[in-house]
Amino acid sequence: MLLYNEIIFWNDLNELQKKNILLRPKITKLDNFKKKVKNILNNVKNFGDDAILKYNKKFDNINLKQIKVSKDKINNSSYFLKNDLKNAILTAKKNIQLFHQNQKCKSLDIHTAVGIRCQQITIPIESVGLYVPAGSAPLLSTALMLAVPAHIAGCKNIVLCSPPPITNEILYISKICNIKNVFEVGGAQAIAALGFGTETVPKVNKIFGPGNMYVTEAKRQLNKSSLNVSIDMIAGPSELLIIADETSDPIFIASDILSQSEHGHDSQVIVLSDNISILKQTIFQVNQQIHNLSRKDIIFESLKNSKFILTTNLLVCTQISNIYAPEHLIIQSKYSRNIVKDIINAGSIFLGKWSPESVGDYASGTNHVLPTHGNSVFASGLSITDFQKKITIQELTPFGLKNIANVVKILSLSEKMDAHANAVIVRCNSIKDKYGK
């Protein structure tokens, strides 16, 4: 019996049905969910490390005397990892580092007019917090995706939090990325510690990293407060959209569907094609391959959210993709480079049959922290610019001010801002007294 065998005919749907087909899965939240997160935030704010240690016991069933990881433990982490894993981590780091180093913005220094010099300089955010979740296995890929750009950006104080007991994989990445402040704390309490600061956890200026619904809600609540702390983004369940045509390989498409589906029961995959045979073969392959996978129980649930949609042509596929605005987009076609020209909304795009999404998750070099829930219509994936801020500078000579003074006076007085005009007028009078013109 097939696990999934429905093909949706896009042209047979009315506008409301089309809209509903592209909805994300509903996230079921527990009763008093927001209140529970608020209580955690308040407890950490008021009781600091004591609250964290109690939450470590309550949520992670571990008793710790201190939450900061010692320098020796970080340095010794490499002894507990196999060489093939360390080499894989170093290769991924090299690729991520190379890609993100080339994202650096050049400083801007121009004269907009004679005597008016304008600059833009890029400054690293001084203190950043990296949250690395831990589920059935340590998310070392997330540690790399956060730590590498933070280091390249030049952030002075980098703080990493991950649920206890923190793994040697995460500690090894901290070591090779020169992160010295590592803390064993997870969940909403980790976000609270980074946002408020405790006796041992430094308060940061911006918090990065995905997590469960408690982590996401904690980031949301902190972002709304007046703590001078920001967040990278509000991330939802992972998602993938695939555009396939008659040149696609159903075996490869099925493997991409399954790899995305194992992220979690609320993940979603949408497959678009103008070829019904490709869709049928893909569904068959999904049902063949799933039985060999260790996380098939999660995949079973995730597939309930997935859709296989037949369109009349590839242009319609790109139009649907732009409406859905996926986190990940695979265009599996030998014409991928032509098709991608019509894409305007996506977090990260994978072109051709030899570009599985899993490579981007780990080691190609691009960042896997991406906008979800349709937010790619206005947002981008994580980059070193997220760890930096830009400051503008302007410097005028007497001649430059004199030449632009009348423009500023007219515009400021039109807004009834006479003090603005006066700041120019008094200087112009001084120029006249000094230079006689």
Side-chain angles (χ1 to χ4, degrees):
M1 181 178 176
L2 291 177
L3 302 172
Y4 194 98
N5 61 3
E6 180 186 1
I7 294 176
I8 298 164
F9 291 77
W10 186 253
N11 267 14
D12 291 346
L13 305 178
N14 59 39
E15 291 305 311
L16 179 59
Q17 289 171 326
K18 288 177 179 178
K19 182 178 179 180
N20 289 337
I21 283 294
L22 299 181
L23 291 177
R24 266 75 175 179
K26 289 184 179 180
I27 301 174
T28 304
K29 294 182 178 178
L30 304 174
D31 293 340
N32 299 318
F33 167 71
K34 292 184 179 180
K35 186 177 179 180
K36 290 177 181 177
V37 172
K38 186 176 181 181
N39 287 338
I40 293 173
L41 295 180
N42 286 335
N43 283 336
V44 173
K45 180 181 180 181
N46 294 325
F47 304 107
D49 287 350
D50 285 342
I52 290 175
L53 291 171
K54 288 177 181 177
Y55 284 128
N56 279 351
K57 173 63 177 174
K58 180 178 180 180
F59 296 128
D60 297 297
N61 196 30
I62 187 170
N63 276 316
L64 295 176
K65 292 182 179 180
Q66 62 180 29
I67 57 176
K68 185 171 184 178
V69 180
S70 69
K71 181 180 178 181
D72 286 344
K73 190 172 181 180
I74 294 173
N75 288 336
N76 293 334
S77 60
S78 60
Y79 300 126
F80 299 96
L81 302 183
K82 293 181 179 179
N83 286 333
D84 61 347
L85 177 57
K86 286 191 286 187
N87 289 334
I89 289 172
L90 290 172
T91 299
K93 177 180 180 286
K94 177 183 70 70
N95 291 345
I96 296 166
Q97 189 168 296
L98 179 61
F99 184 81
H100 287 74
Q101 279 175 337
N102 282 279
Q103 293 177 336
K104 289 182 177 179
C105 296
K106 293 181 179 179
S107 295
L108 181 64
D109 190 346
I110 63 170
H111 284 80
T112 57
V114 177
I116 303 177
R117 180 184 180 184
C118 293
Q119 295 172 265
Q120 179 176 276
I121 58 174
T122 302
I123 303 293
I125 297 173
E126 186 175 20
S127 182
V128 297
L130 314 181
Y131 181 71
V132 181
S136 57
L139 293 185
L140 53 90
S141 59
T142 296
L144 283 168
M145 296 294 175
L146 299 176
V148 171
H151 183 67
I152 293 171
C155 298
K156 184 178 179 181
N157 302 311
I158 304 174
V159 183
L160 187 147
C161 290
S162 192
I166 198 163
T167 66
N168 286 306
E169 291 89 344
I170 302 301
L171 295 180
Y172 178 66
I173 289 169
S174 301
K175 176 185 176 181
I176 63 176
C177 292
N178 200 31
I179 299 175
K180 297 178 175 64
N181 287 318
V182 180
F183 298 89
E184 297 190 87
V185 53
Q189 59 272 25
I191 304 303
L194 293 169
F196 296 113
T198 71
E199 298 92 330
T200 56
V201 182
K203 180 185 182 303
V204 301
N205 304 124
K206 190 172 182 180
I207 301 171
F208 298 81
N212 61 20
M213 63 181 182
Y214 286 93
V215 169
T216 301
E217 180 60 25
K219 289 171 70 176
R220 193 193 313 273
Q221 290 188 23
L222 273 179
N223 196 44
K224 289 182 178 179
S225 66
S226 56
L227 295 168
N228 294 323
V229 61
S230 180
I231 62 171
D232 52 349
M233 64 182 74
I234 298 294
S238 193
E239 57 198 36
L240 166 67
L241 188 142
I242 301 173
I243 295 176
D245 61 15
E246 75 280 358
T247 69
S248 304
D249 189 321
I251 296 175
F252 292 175
I253 301 173
S255 70
D256 291 329
I257 293 169
L258 295 168
S259 72
Q260 180 63 31
S261 298
E262 73 175 347
H263 275 288
H265 66 274
D266 48 6
S267 298
Q268 184 175 51
V269 181
I270 292 179
V271 184
L272 305 173
S273 181
D274 60 352
N275 188 296
I276 194 167
S277 177
I278 290 294
L279 291 177
K280 288 179 177 179
Q281 291 177 63
T282 299
I283 291 170
F284 176 80
Q285 284 297 325
V286 167
N287 287 281
Q288 290 294 303
Q289 294 180 33
I290 191 172
H291 298 291
N292 300 320
L293 302 173
S294 62
R295 295 169 68 89
K296 59 188 173 193
D297 290 343
I298 293 174
I299 295 172
F300 277 130
E301 290 300 311
S302 177
L303 285 174
K304 295 176 183 177
N305 305 317
S306 299
K307 309 285 191 332
F308 295 81
I309 300 174
L310 179 69
T311 68
T312 52
N313 56 62
L314 289 177
L315 180 59
V316 175
C317 292
T318 60
Q319 291 169 346
I320 296 170
S321 180
N322 286 329
I323 293 169
Y324 184 77
E327 176 189 20
H328 306 97
L329 169 62
I330 292 176
I331 304 176
Q332 198 190 117
S333 167
K334 69 178 182 181
Y335 310 111
S336 296
R337 280 286 168 187
N338 289 327
I339 297 171
V340 77
K341 295 174 184 177
D342 294 319
I343 298 299
I344 57 173
N345 299 324
S348 191
I349 302 175
F350 303 79
L351 298 183
K353 65 168 64 177
W354 306 113
S355 307
E357 184 263 332
S358 53
V359 175
D361 271 353
Y362 292 100
S364 66
T366 62
N367 207 289
H368 80 196
V369 180
L370 302 166
T372 59
H373 214 76
N375 290 338
S376 65
V377 297
F378 61 81
S380 308
L382 198 70
S383 70
I384 69 163
T385 58
D386 293 290
F387 294 87
Q388 298 171 323
K389 56 187 179 181
K390 293 177 175 61
I391 300 175
T392 56
I393 302 170
Q394 44 264 297
E395 181 183 13
L396 280 69
T397 64
F399 182 81
L401 177 61
K402 181 175 177 292
N403 277 356
I404 203 169
N406 196 47
V407 171
V408 176
K409 285 189 290 183
I410 292 171
L411 292 174
S412 58
L413 290 174
S414 73
E415 294 183 352
K416 303 192 184 306
M417 297 286 190
D418 54 332
H420 279 67
N422 186 60
V424 172
I425 292 168
V426 296
R427 284 173 170 80
C428 287
N429 289 339
S430 179
I431 293 170
K432 188 174 183 182
D433 291 342
K434 187 172 183 178
Y435 298 102
K437 51 182 176 179

